[in-house]
Amino acid sequence: MNIAIIGTGYVGLVTGVCFAEFGLHVTAVDKDAERIDRLAKGELPIHEPRLAEMLCRNLKEDRIHFTTDVVRAVRQSLVVFIAVGTPSREDGAADLRYVEEVARTIAHNLDGYKVVVIKSTVPVGTGRWVEQIIREEHANGNGNRCVFDMASNPEFLREGAAVEDFLRPNRVVIGADSPQAVAILQDLYRPLYLIETPFVIASIEAAELIKYSSNAFLATKISFMNEMANLCDTLGIDVHVVAKAMGLDQRIGSKFLHPGPGFGGSCFPKDTLALARLARSHDTPVRLVETVIEVNEAQRARMVTKIVRALGLDDSASLEGTILGILGLAFKPDTDDVRESPALAIVEELRRRGAHIQAYDPAAMEQARAVLPDIVYRPDAYSAAEECDAVVLITEWNQFRNLDLSRLKNLMRRPILVDLRNAYEPERVKALGLTYQGVGRG
Ligand code: NAD
């Protein structure tokens, strides 16, 4: 079966390569010609574990092709996935301009039955809107009979574990009215039946909401735990003991109970905003989600205060003359994605207050440089620590979990470790002669 994936970002690329791995013939399209050139040569434009080898294998075996020619890709495919970005607009709503652009192109190139699937995260009602655009645009064009089915197939992969998540998902959600479209999509995912992956078949609208409510719920867990950590800081209690005991309750579950600098990335911040905005526009505010967004914003500011206090300064003191070593810029480990990264927000604020920043990230320095050109980038964790007044660990890459702390201390001007991911045990760090500050460690 021939399928097309439009948009080769984190989601489109992983989807395309994994479907090729399932044995399908995939045409992956992007309007970014440089990206397509690199992909066609087997070069990954993103950092994502396991993806490079799968990309090369499927290119070699001729199951995946990269092109900027969306017209051809649509014409030769039975299923067309839309996987373009849906960033936040100024007012918090999802910006659907790329989805609309693709919908119009598809409309002009329907020359036989197709299933048009939205994989991008889109507000409830978008599937119907796209369906209508395609019908109207097609009618205004060549006037052939317009035969297609609309479907929603939201994606739940996590950057940094995207291949694993696609190949072994917790569930696959298919939203469609047409039994034929459902059957075709189930067929695409056939290898997952062997591992007994649950399939949820829903309406298009329900599928759209499932994605937003899942992300908002996870974001809620994070913000909840961050508030508990802040309370633990005040009360002198170790939040890890609290989280562990909470997580042993199966109704709660142990995942996403880890406090830190707040959630970031290209999904949770924009999806919580879009859900809150959608709910308000339907006169049914989701106040809990609105508060989760506020708590997350406040957490970033709180982390800056934590760093300032660790330096022994007043909350509003200037940081002129202070050198800070920053470990981690990506919004999470194992990715180079810095979109809405808490690290960037924190670094920006520290810079604004006068600190000199020297940072290191194993994969995201090029991306960070585009946003923060005037900080110093260092080639490893130890050189980022040289002559620093404090080292601040913001992204918990594995290589930061087991640093030689004595070596780190000897390189620093003042031995202060601010660990915003609680990667270290406070007592161990203190025993080595460093001052330690974690999140909610009492
Ligand atoms: P991305 O920004 O990394 O990639 C989007 C790609 O679409 C870009 O390469 C862009 O050039 C391309 N594009 C835009 N308009 C195009 C057009 N008209 N024709 C062809 N290509 C076009 O985005 P992403 O992170 O892959 O996210 C895509 C969607 O998936 C979003 O809605 C996002 O919310 C959702 N999602 C993302 C993740 C994630 O972890 N990144 C997880 C689940 C869902």
Side-chain angles (χ1 to χ4, degrees), residues 350-379:
L350 294 168
R351 274 270 307 137
R352 197 190 61 76
R353 290 176 63 169
H356 169 86
I357 304 288
Q358 38 196 54
Y360 170 67
D361 186 282
M365 297 217 278
E366 201 184 313
Q367 285 71 5
R369 201 175 263 121
V371 190
L372 292 172
D374 54 356
I375 64 170
V376 175
Y377 292 89
R378 288 289 174 92

PDB file of all heavy atoms in Angstrom, residues 350-379:
ATOM      1  N   LEU A 350      18.046  34.642  33.682  1.00  0.00           N
ATOM      2  CA  LEU A 350      19.330  34.818  34.385  1.00  0.00           C
ATOM      3  C   LEU A 350      20.217  35.809  33.625  1.00  0.00           C
ATOM      4  O   LEU A 350      20.881  36.660  34.216  1.00  0.00           O
ATOM      5  CB  LEU A 350      20.042  33.463  34.534  1.00  0.00           C
ATOM      6  CG  LEU A 350      19.341  32.433  35.436  1.00  0.00           C
ATOM      7  CD1 LEU A 350      19.973  31.051  35.262  1.00  0.00           C
ATOM      8  CD2 LEU A 350      19.400  32.860  36.906  1.00  0.00           C
ATOM      9  N   ARG A 351      20.178  35.710  32.315  1.00  0.00           N
ATOM     10  CA  ARG A 351      20.945  36.629  31.458  1.00  0.00           C
ATOM     11  C   ARG A 351      20.435  38.051  31.628  1.00  0.00           C
ATOM     12  O   ARG A 351      21.189  38.992  31.770  1.00  0.00           O
ATOM     13  CB  ARG A 351      20.742  36.239  29.984  1.00  0.00           C
ATOM     14  CG  ARG A 351      21.644  35.198  29.486  1.00  0.00           C
ATOM     15  CD  ARG A 351      22.932  35.725  28.898  1.00  0.00           C
ATOM     16  NE  ARG A 351      22.759  36.737  27.876  1.00  0.00           N
ATOM     17  CZ  ARG A 351      23.460  37.847  27.772  1.00  0.00           C
ATOM     18  NH1 ARG A 351      24.391  38.105  28.651  1.00  0.00           N
ATOM     19  NH2 ARG A 351      23.241  38.701  26.794  1.00  0.00           N
ATOM     20  N   ARG A 352      19.102  38.175  31.599  1.00  0.00           N
ATOM     21  CA  ARG A 352      18.488  39.501  31.723  1.00  0.00           C
ATOM     22  C   ARG A 352      18.918  40.176  33.025  1.00  0.00           C
ATOM     23  O   ARG A 352      19.096  41.378  33.098  1.00  0.00           O
ATOM     24  CB  ARG A 352      16.956  39.346  31.680  1.00  0.00           C
ATOM     25  CG  ARG A 352      16.192  40.624  31.394  1.00  0.00           C
ATOM     26  CD  ARG A 352      14.704  40.458  31.612  1.00  0.00           C
ATOM     27  NE  ARG A 352      14.349  40.110  32.984  1.00  0.00           N
ATOM     28  CZ  ARG A 352      14.328  40.946  34.010  1.00  0.00           C
ATOM     29  NH1 ARG A 352      14.650  42.201  33.839  1.00  0.00           N
ATOM     30  NH2 ARG A 352      14.002  40.525  35.232  1.00  0.00           N
ATOM     31  N   ARG A 353      19.137  39.328  34.047  1.00  0.00           N
ATOM     32  CA  ARG A 353      19.528  39.896  35.342  1.00  0.00           C
ATOM     33  C   ARG A 353      21.037  40.068  35.463  1.00  0.00           C
ATOM     34  O   ARG A 353      21.551  40.374  36.524  1.00  0.00           O
ATOM     35  CB  ARG A 353      18.965  39.017  36.451  1.00  0.00           C
ATOM     36  CG  ARG A 353      17.445  39.188  36.488  1.00  0.00           C
ATOM     37  CD  ARG A 353      16.778  38.303  37.467  1.00  0.00           C
ATOM     38  NE  ARG A 353      17.169  38.567  38.829  1.00  0.00           N
ATOM     39  CZ  ARG A 353      16.574  38.054  39.891  1.00  0.00           C
ATOM     40  NH1 ARG A 353      15.534  37.275  39.724  1.00  0.00           N
ATOM     41  NH2 ARG A 353      16.987  38.319  41.106  1.00  0.00           N
ATOM     42  N   GLY A 354      21.758  39.797  34.394  1.00  0.00           N
ATOM     43  CA  GLY A 354      23.173  40.165  34.363  1.00  0.00           C
ATOM     44  C   GLY A 354      24.152  39.015  34.462  1.00  0.00           C
ATOM     45  O   GLY A 354      25.361  39.232  34.399  1.00  0.00           O
ATOM     46  N   ALA A 355      23.672  37.769  34.619  1.00  0.00           N
ATOM     47  CA  ALA A 355      24.608  36.644  34.775  1.00  0.00           C
ATOM     48  C   ALA A 355      25.331  36.353  33.453  1.00  0.00           C
ATOM     49  O   ALA A 355      24.770  36.534  32.368  1.00  0.00           O
ATOM     50  CB  ALA A 355      23.846  35.400  35.228  1.00  0.00           C
ATOM     51  N   HIS A 356      26.570  35.893  33.596  1.00  0.00           N
ATOM     52  CA  HIS A 356      27.298  35.385  32.429  1.00  0.00           C
ATOM     53  C   HIS A 356      27.001  33.884  32.373  1.00  0.00           C
ATOM     54  O   HIS A 356      27.175  33.178  33.370  1.00  0.00           O
ATOM     55  CB  HIS A 356      28.800  35.645  32.605  1.00  0.00           C
ATOM     56  CG  HIS A 356      29.632  34.942  31.593  1.00  0.00           C
ATOM     57  ND1 HIS A 356      29.908  35.476  30.355  1.00  0.00           N
ATOM     58  CD2 HIS A 356      30.222  33.722  31.625  1.00  0.00           C
ATOM     59  CE1 HIS A 356      30.641  34.616  29.674  1.00  0.00           C
ATOM     60  NE2 HIS A 356      30.844  33.539  30.414  1.00  0.00           N
ATOM     61  N   ILE A 357      26.559  33.397  31.221  1.00  0.00           N
ATOM     62  CA  ILE A 357      26.135  31.990  31.120  1.00  0.00           C
ATOM     63  C   ILE A 357      27.101  31.206  30.247  1.00  0.00           C
ATOM     64  O   ILE A 357      27.417  31.621  29.124  1.00  0.00           O
ATOM     65  CB  ILE A 357      24.724  31.884  30.476  1.00  0.00           C
ATOM     66  CG1 ILE A 357      23.690  32.718  31.239  1.00  0.00           C
ATOM     67  CG2 ILE A 357      24.294  30.428  30.344  1.00  0.00           C
ATOM     68  CD1 ILE A 357      23.285  32.185  32.584  1.00  0.00           C
ATOM     69  N   GLN A 358      27.544  30.064  30.739  1.00  0.00           N
ATOM     70  CA  GLN A 358      28.285  29.122  29.881  1.00  0.00           C
ATOM     71  C   GLN A 358      27.571  27.767  29.970  1.00  0.00           C
ATOM     72  O   GLN A 358      27.402  27.206  31.052  1.00  0.00           O
ATOM     73  CB  GLN A 358      29.763  29.045  30.262  1.00  0.00           C
ATOM     74  CG  GLN A 358      30.067  29.107  31.734  1.00  0.00           C
ATOM     75  CD  GLN A 358      31.524  29.410  31.998  1.00  0.00           C
ATOM     76  OE1 GLN A 358      32.066  30.397  31.486  1.00  0.00           O
ATOM     77  NE2 GLN A 358      32.173  28.556  32.779  1.00  0.00           N
ATOM     78  N   ALA A 359      27.109  27.308  28.808  1.00  0.00           N
ATOM     79  CA  ALA A 359      26.185  26.169  28.804  1.00  0.00           C
ATOM     80  C   ALA A 359      26.707  25.013  27.962  1.00  0.00           C
ATOM     81  O   ALA A 359      27.496  25.188  27.035  1.00  0.00           O
ATOM     82  CB  ALA A 359      24.837  26.623  28.248  1.00  0.00           C
ATOM     83  N   TYR A 360      26.208  23.830  28.314  1.00  0.00           N
ATOM     84  CA  TYR A 360      26.505  22.641  27.510  1.00  0.00           C
ATOM     85  C   TYR A 360      25.256  21.762  27.428  1.00  0.00           C
ATOM     86  O   TYR A 360      24.553  21.566  28.423  1.00  0.00           O
ATOM     87  CB  TYR A 360      27.654  21.831  28.131  1.00  0.00           C
ATOM     88  CG  TYR A 360      27.809  20.483  27.459  1.00  0.00           C
ATOM     89  CD1 TYR A 360      28.220  20.389  26.128  1.00  0.00           C
ATOM     90  CD2 TYR A 360      27.499  19.299  28.135  1.00  0.00           C
ATOM     91  CE1 TYR A 360      28.320  19.162  25.492  1.00  0.00           C
ATOM     92  CE2 TYR A 360      27.605  18.063  27.511  1.00  0.00           C
ATOM     93  CZ  TYR A 360      28.009  18.005  26.194  1.00  0.00           C
ATOM     94  OH  TYR A 360      28.099  16.796  25.559  1.00  0.00           O
ATOM     95  N   ASP A 361      24.998  21.252  26.234  1.00  0.00           N
ATOM     96  CA  ASP A 361      23.952  20.235  26.043  1.00  0.00           C
ATOM     97  C   ASP A 361      24.498  19.233  25.025  1.00  0.00           C
ATOM     98  O   ASP A 361      25.115  19.627  24.025  1.00  0.00           O
ATOM     99  CB  ASP A 361      22.662  20.869  25.507  1.00  0.00           C
ATOM    100  CG  ASP A 361      21.532  19.851  25.439  1.00  0.00           C
ATOM    101  OD1 ASP A 361      21.514  19.017  24.490  1.00  0.00           O
ATOM    102  OD2 ASP A 361      20.658  19.866  26.322  1.00  0.00           O
ATOM    103  N   PRO A 362      24.277  17.933  25.264  1.00  0.00           N
ATOM    104  CA  PRO A 362      24.843  16.933  24.349  1.00  0.00           C
ATOM    105  C   PRO A 362      24.280  16.993  22.928  1.00  0.00           C
ATOM    106  O   PRO A 362      24.930  16.525  21.994  1.00  0.00           O
ATOM    107  CB  PRO A 362      24.465  15.597  25.010  1.00  0.00           C
ATOM    108  CG  PRO A 362      24.196  15.928  26.434  1.00  0.00           C
ATOM    109  CD  PRO A 362      23.663  17.331  26.447  1.00  0.00           C
ATOM    110  N   ALA A 363      23.074  17.537  22.714  1.00  0.00           N
ATOM    111  CA  ALA A 363      22.497  17.488  21.363  1.00  0.00           C
ATOM    112  C   ALA A 363      21.863  18.803  20.895  1.00  0.00           C
ATOM    113  O   ALA A 363      21.631  18.971  19.700  1.00  0.00           O
ATOM    114  CB  ALA A 363      21.433  16.381  21.295  1.00  0.00           C
ATOM    115  N   ALA A 364      21.560  19.707  21.832  1.00  0.00           N
ATOM    116  CA  ALA A 364      20.685  20.827  21.456  1.00  0.00           C
ATOM    117  C   ALA A 364      21.388  22.180  21.337  1.00  0.00           C
ATOM    118  O   ALA A 364      20.722  23.208  21.301  1.00  0.00           O
ATOM    119  CB  ALA A 364      19.546  20.912  22.478  1.00  0.00           C
ATOM    120  N   MET A 365      22.729  22.194  21.240  1.00  0.00           N
ATOM    121  CA  MET A 365      23.397  23.495  21.272  1.00  0.00           C
ATOM    122  C   MET A 365      23.151  24.304  19.994  1.00  0.00           C
ATOM    123  O   MET A 365      22.974  25.508  20.049  1.00  0.00           O
ATOM    124  CB  MET A 365      24.878  23.305  21.534  1.00  0.00           C
ATOM    125  CG  MET A 365      25.082  22.667  22.908  1.00  0.00           C
ATOM    126  SD  MET A 365      26.485  23.267  23.771  1.00  0.00           S
ATOM    127  CE  MET A 365      27.746  22.294  23.012  1.00  0.00           C
ATOM    128  N   GLU A 366      23.099  23.600  18.872  1.00  0.00           N
ATOM    129  CA  GLU A 366      22.857  24.325  17.612  1.00  0.00           C
ATOM    130  C   GLU A 366      21.470  24.987  17.642  1.00  0.00           C
ATOM    131  O   GLU A 366      21.314  26.151  17.285  1.00  0.00           O
ATOM    132  CB  GLU A 366      22.929  23.297  16.482  1.00  0.00           C
ATOM    133  CG  GLU A 366      23.196  23.898  15.128  1.00  0.00           C
ATOM    134  CD  GLU A 366      23.137  22.805  14.072  1.00  0.00           C
ATOM    135  OE1 GLU A 366      23.755  21.729  14.279  1.00  0.00           O
ATOM    136  OE2 GLU A 366      22.457  23.030  13.054  1.00  0.00           O
ATOM    137  N   GLN A 367      20.478  24.218  18.112  1.00  0.00           N
ATOM    138  CA  GLN A 367      19.123  24.747  18.178  1.00  0.00           C
ATOM    139  C   GLN A 367      19.042  25.891  19.187  1.00  0.00           C
ATOM    140  O   GLN A 367      18.377  26.898  18.950  1.00  0.00           O
ATOM    141  CB  GLN A 367      18.127  23.645  18.594  1.00  0.00           C
ATOM    142  CG  GLN A 367      17.788  22.645  17.522  1.00  0.00           C
ATOM    143  CD  GLN A 367      18.926  21.698  17.186  1.00  0.00           C
ATOM    144  OE1 GLN A 367      19.991  21.707  17.817  1.00  0.00           O
ATOM    145  NE2 GLN A 367      18.733  20.889  16.177  1.00  0.00           N
ATOM    146  N   ALA A 368      19.743  25.728  20.326  1.00  0.00           N
ATOM    147  CA  ALA A 368      19.698  26.765  21.362  1.00  0.00           C
ATOM    148  C   ALA A 368      20.368  28.046  20.867  1.00  0.00           C
ATOM    149  O   ALA A 368      19.893  29.151  21.135  1.00  0.00           O
ATOM    150  CB  ALA A 368      20.386  26.266  22.633  1.00  0.00           C
ATOM    151  N   ARG A 369      21.439  27.881  20.093  1.00  0.00           N
ATOM    152  CA  ARG A 369      22.190  29.049  19.614  1.00  0.00           C
ATOM    153  C   ARG A 369      21.303  29.958  18.763  1.00  0.00           C
ATOM    154  O   ARG A 369      21.445  31.182  18.790  1.00  0.00           O
ATOM    155  CB  ARG A 369      23.404  28.576  18.803  1.00  0.00           C
ATOM    156  CG  ARG A 369      24.475  29.634  18.724  1.00  0.00           C
ATOM    157  CD  ARG A 369      25.722  29.139  18.033  1.00  0.00           C
ATOM    158  NE  ARG A 369      26.742  28.691  18.970  1.00  0.00           N
ATOM    159  CZ  ARG A 369      27.259  27.471  18.995  1.00  0.00           C
ATOM    160  NH1 ARG A 369      26.848  26.568  18.133  1.00  0.00           N
ATOM    161  NH2 ARG A 369      28.183  27.142  19.860  1.00  0.00           N
ATOM    162  N   ALA A 370      20.369  29.348  18.041  1.00  0.00           N
ATOM    163  CA  ALA A 370      19.476  30.151  17.200  1.00  0.00           C
ATOM    164  C   ALA A 370      18.582  31.053  18.057  1.00  0.00           C
ATOM    165  O   ALA A 370      18.176  32.135  17.627  1.00  0.00           O
ATOM    166  CB  ALA A 370      18.623  29.227  16.336  1.00  0.00           C
ATOM    167  N   VAL A 371      18.272  30.614  19.276  1.00  0.00           N
ATOM    168  CA  VAL A 371      17.391  31.405  20.154  1.00  0.00           C
ATOM    169  C   VAL A 371      18.214  32.271  21.104  1.00  0.00           C
ATOM    170  O   VAL A 371      17.827  33.402  21.419  1.00  0.00           O
ATOM    171  CB  VAL A 371      16.497  30.447  21.007  1.00  0.00           C
ATOM    172  CG1 VAL A 371      15.408  31.221  21.736  1.00  0.00           C
ATOM    173  CG2 VAL A 371      15.900  29.344  20.149  1.00  0.00           C
ATOM    174  N   LEU A 372      19.327  31.737  21.583  1.00  0.00           N
ATOM    175  CA  LEU A 372      20.173  32.442  22.558  1.00  0.00           C
ATOM    176  C   LEU A 372      21.593  32.562  21.982  1.00  0.00           C
ATOM    177  O   LEU A 372      22.496  31.813  22.359  1.00  0.00           O
ATOM    178  CB  LEU A 372      20.251  31.644  23.864  1.00  0.00           C
ATOM    179  CG  LEU A 372      19.014  31.511  24.724  1.00  0.00           C
ATOM    180  CD1 LEU A 372      19.252  30.535  25.850  1.00  0.00           C
ATOM    181  CD2 LEU A 372      18.621  32.872  25.300  1.00  0.00           C
ATOM    182  N   PRO A 373      21.781  33.524  21.051  1.00  0.00           N
ATOM    183  CA  PRO A 373      23.092  33.592  20.396  1.00  0.00           C
ATOM    184  C   PRO A 373      24.190  34.157  21.297  1.00  0.00           C
ATOM    185  O   PRO A 373      25.366  33.917  21.044  1.00  0.00           O
ATOM    186  CB  PRO A 373      22.837  34.524  19.205  1.00  0.00           C
ATOM    187  CG  PRO A 373      21.611  35.293  19.544  1.00  0.00           C
ATOM    188  CD  PRO A 373      20.820  34.505  20.527  1.00  0.00           C
ATOM    189  N   ASP A 374      23.808  34.888  22.372  1.00  0.00           N
ATOM    190  CA  ASP A 374      24.845  35.605  23.108  1.00  0.00           C
ATOM    191  C   ASP A 374      25.193  34.981  24.460  1.00  0.00           C
ATOM    192  O   ASP A 374      25.551  35.679  25.396  1.00  0.00           O
ATOM    193  CB  ASP A 374      24.460  37.082  23.263  1.00  0.00           C
ATOM    194  CG  ASP A 374      23.085  37.238  23.874  1.00  0.00           C
ATOM    195  OD1 ASP A 374      22.429  36.196  24.093  1.00  0.00           O
ATOM    196  OD2 ASP A 374      22.672  38.379  24.124  1.00  0.00           O
ATOM    197  N   ILE A 375      25.066  33.663  24.561  1.00  0.00           N
ATOM    198  CA  ILE A 375      25.651  32.995  25.734  1.00  0.00           C
ATOM    199  C   ILE A 375      26.835  32.167  25.217  1.00  0.00           C
ATOM    200  O   ILE A 375      26.974  31.960  24.005  1.00  0.00           O
ATOM    201  CB  ILE A 375      24.631  32.102  26.495  1.00  0.00           C
ATOM    202  CG1 ILE A 375      24.153  30.935  25.629  1.00  0.00           C
ATOM    203  CG2 ILE A 375      23.438  32.923  26.970  1.00  0.00           C
ATOM    204  CD1 ILE A 375      23.352  29.894  26.393  1.00  0.00           C
ATOM    205  N   VAL A 376      27.648  31.697  26.147  1.00  0.00           N
ATOM    206  CA  VAL A 376      28.827  30.934  25.720  1.00  0.00           C
ATOM    207  C   VAL A 376      28.475  29.447  25.724  1.00  0.00           C
ATOM    208  O   VAL A 376      27.884  28.949  26.689  1.00  0.00           O
ATOM    209  CB  VAL A 376      30.003  31.212  26.689  1.00  0.00           C
ATOM    210  CG1 VAL A 376      31.206  30.336  26.344  1.00  0.00           C
ATOM    211  CG2 VAL A 376      30.375  32.686  26.632  1.00  0.00           C
ATOM    212  N   TYR A 377      28.816  28.759  24.630  1.00  0.00           N
ATOM    213  CA  TYR A 377      28.551  27.322  24.554  1.00  0.00           C
ATOM    214  C   TYR A 377      29.862  26.584  24.760  1.00  0.00           C
ATOM    215  O   TYR A 377      30.871  26.922  24.146  1.00  0.00           O
ATOM    216  CB  TYR A 377      27.909  26.976  23.202  1.00  0.00           C
ATOM    217  CG  TYR A 377      26.521  27.560  23.112  1.00  0.00           C
ATOM    218  CD1 TYR A 377      26.318  28.854  22.615  1.00  0.00           C
ATOM    219  CD2 TYR A 377      25.419  26.857  23.572  1.00  0.00           C
ATOM    220  CE1 TYR A 377      25.050  29.418  22.571  1.00  0.00           C
ATOM    221  CE2 TYR A 377      24.148  27.417  23.526  1.00  0.00           C
ATOM    222  CZ  TYR A 377      23.968  28.690  23.026  1.00  0.00           C
ATOM    223  OH  TYR A 377      22.708  29.238  22.994  1.00  0.00           O
ATOM    224  N   ARG A 378      29.842  25.599  25.645  1.00  0.00           N
ATOM    225  CA  ARG A 378      31.057  24.868  25.986  1.00  0.00           C
ATOM    226  C   ARG A 378      30.964  23.424  25.478  1.00  0.00           C
ATOM    227  O   ARG A 378      29.865  22.891  25.331  1.00  0.00           O
ATOM    228  CB  ARG A 378      31.243  24.877  27.513  1.00  0.00           C
ATOM    229  CG  ARG A 378      31.651  26.266  28.052  1.00  0.00           C
ATOM    230  CD  ARG A 378      33.086  26.558  27.637  1.00  0.00           C
ATOM    231  NE  ARG A 378      33.558  27.875  27.961  1.00  0.00           N
ATOM    232  CZ  ARG A 378      34.186  28.206  29.075  1.00  0.00           C
ATOM    233  NH1 ARG A 378      34.371  27.324  30.047  1.00  0.00           N
ATOM    234  NH2 ARG A 378      34.620  29.423  29.264  1.00  0.00           N
ATOM    235  N   PRO A 379      32.096  22.770  25.245  1.00  0.00           N
ATOM    236  CA  PRO A 379      32.054  21.440  24.601  1.00  0.00           C
ATOM    237  C   PRO A 379      31.712  20.278  25.524  1.00  0.00           C
ATOM    238  O   PRO A 379      31.468  19.171  25.055  1.00  0.00           O
ATOM    239  CB  PRO A 379      33.472  21.272  24.053  1.00  0.00           C
ATOM    240  CG  PRO A 379      34.314  22.175  24.884  1.00  0.00           C
ATOM    241  CD  PRO A 379      33.462  23.308  25.329  1.00  0.00           C
TER     242      PRO A 379
END
